[in-house]
Amino acid sequence: LGGHGPESTVTPEIQQIALDIQPALEQYLATKLINFRATHYTQQVVAGMVYHLRVVASVSTTTGNDQDGDNNEESVFHIRVFQPLPYTGEPLQLQAVKQSESTEPLRALPPKLNPYRIH
C-alpha cells in the first residue's frame, strides 16, 4: 500500500520466489530456461506482495544439428510476480514479462498477463 522499495540485490528468499515462478515463465515463453537466476528486485506491499525481478537465463536454442546441446545464449528478463497473502492459499502469479537489455534499469511493470499461476 505504498510505492516500490529501492532496487536491491537478491536474497535467498527472493531467489526461491524466482525459482518457483520459473515454470510459469517457461510456459509463457514456450522455451526452457537454463542457468536461471534472479539478480535484482524491488518489492511493493499490496494485498500481498508485488515483486519486480531481473532474471538472467540461457534460452535454449538447441537445434537437431547441435549434438552437444550447448548452443545457448544468455537473456535478461524483467518480470512482475504477485504473491497473494498466505491465508488465501493462492499460488504465485506471473503478471508481466519484458525481455530487456543487460544495462536497462529495473522498473515497475504494469500487470499485463492473465496471471500464470504455479499449481
Side-chain angles (χ1 to χ4, degrees), residues 34 58-63 66-73:
I34 304 161
S58 296
V59 177
S60 180
T61 57
T62 303
T63 64
D66 183 14
Q67 296 296 323
D68 61 10
D70 290 333
N71 186 19
N72 301 311
E73 57 184 67

